[in-house]
Every structure is written in C-alpha cells, then in structure tokens.
Amino acid sequence: MFLRFILVIAALLSCGCGRSGDLNDASVKMLLESQPVALEAEQVSLTQTQFDCGVKEELWDPPIQVSQERSSSRLTAAGKALKFEDDVSIGEAGHKQPYVQVRGEFPVKVAEVVGITDGPSADTRLAQTKAGIKIRHSCFPTPLPLLGVKRGKFSEDANPVFQFRGAKEDWRFDRLIH
C-alpha cells in the first residue's frame, strides 16, 4: 500500500501536462516499469546476434528449415526456464527478425509512449507504446521488443497497446490489448 502511494505521488509530481491525476506518458511509464507485468502468449523479437547467442548458449537448437521461407529453432529446457514459451521462428512473412513467444511475469522497459486514448469503457485508457521486456541472461543485454498486433497478427510494425483501468489518481495496469 505504501509503495502504491509513493508511485502515485511520483506520477503526480512528474506530470507536467493535463489535469491532475490524468493518465499521462510519465504515469504510464512509471506504472509499467514499477513492477513485473504478467504476459500470456505475447511475442518478442530478437536480433540476429541475440538469436545466435541463444543457439550458442543452448537456449534453443540450431534452426531447421520448416518451409522454403521459414525456419524454426526448438526451445531447450534452458530457454523454457527463461519463460520463452514456443519455438523461435525465423523468416516468416511479415517478420524481419527472429521472434519467440513468452509467458510469465517480466520487468518492462518503456522506450516511448506513442499515444494515450480512451478505452472501451469510461474507466479505461489505452496506451500505445514502444516497450520491451527484460530477461536476465547475457544474450539479452537490452530489452526484447514486444510485438503489437496488426490485422489480427503479431507484427514488428505494430506497437503493443496496454490497457489501464481506474480514474483520477488510481490508475493500474489491466492487460495487453490485441
């Protein structure tokens, strides 16, 4: 309770625009970065260097050709222990980078709040962000970018949208929107 109070006060003090208590860029960043966020079957992209490191560190197997344009790398127990959920995909249409599904609680790093809009109900707001998750492993020195959803599919060209629920000074992260 005390931590929540401190976080709300910090958000209010850092707010330079809008009405007092409105959800703003600073409060979105603070709410998402203040504690791990539960993610269910979200996808993150990997750089080629991170992918190659994962093979070397035996987080996943070397890739095998699944089709003419797509390869896949089977997760190992070590990769699953880091909360990677499904095999790594490489070369799939619409993806320039390898990507993998994650499941669990992760620290989030917000690089930018792209926009905040009203949500589907009066007590919700939607924040479109450029954000990534932190994974404690030498292969991932920087946050892995979360993929947003575009036309019903995860896409590198779409930003994740986080839903917040509340009002005035009592905003809290609710869920990711697809």
Side-chain angles (χ1 to χ4, degrees):
M1 184 69 175
F2 181 73
L3 177 61
R4 185 175 176 186
F5 175 75
I6 295 297
L7 295 174
V8 169
I9 296 300
L12 289 173
L13 292 175
S14 67
C15 175
C17 58
R19 295 172 298 166
S20 175
D22 277 353
L23 188 68
N24 59 42
D25 293 8
S27 57
V28 164
K29 184 175 173 65
M30 187 261 323
L31 287 166
L32 290 175
E33 293 181 351
S34 64
Q35 57 188 332
V37 171
L39 301 176
E40 294 297 322
E42 298 300 325
Q43 291 183 357
V44 294
S45 64
L46 305 167
T47 65
Q48 189 63 47
T49 301
Q50 291 166 334
F51 173 77
D52 293 341
C53 182
V55 171
K56 181 179 170 238
E57 294 289 321
E58 299 181 350
L59 302 178
W60 40 77
D61 292 339
I64 58 168
Q65 201 74 30
V66 176
S67 67
Q68 191 166 358
E69 57 277 333
R70 183 175 173 269
S71 298
S72 179
S73 290
R74 188 179 60 82
L75 280 180
T76 65
K80 290 178 183 179
L82 293 174
K83 301 178 190 170
F84 291 113
E85 182 69 15
D86 202 0
D87 296 343
V88 181
S89 293
I90 307 116
E92 190 165 316
H95 293 274
K96 300 173 202 106
Q97 301 283 347
Y99 68 92
V100 63
Q101 192 175 93
V102 295
R103 184 182 308 268
E105 289 192 352
F106 297 91
V108 171
K109 176 68 176 160
V110 177
E112 177 186 355
V113 177
V114 177
I116 301 172
T117 58
D118 289 337
S121 63
D123 68 337
T124 59
R125 300 285 184 276
L126 304 177
Q128 186 181 145
T129 67
K130 293 184 185 302
I133 61 167
K134 298 176 187 176
I135 296 182
R136 291 180 191 225
H137 190 280
S138 60
C139 287
F140 315 110
T142 59
L144 301 179
L146 279 165
L147 301 181
V149 175
K150 185 177 185 178
R151 295 186 186 109
K153 293 184 177 185
F154 284 102
S155 171
E156 294 171 350
D157 299 328
N159 295 314
V161 177
F162 294 89
Q163 180 172 289
F164 294 85
R165 189 171 296 278
K168 302 194 185 222
E169 292 87 19
D170 190 29
W171 291 103
R172 66 192 179 288
F173 168 70
D174 185 37
R175 63 189 179 103
L176 269 167
I177 299 294
H178 293 148

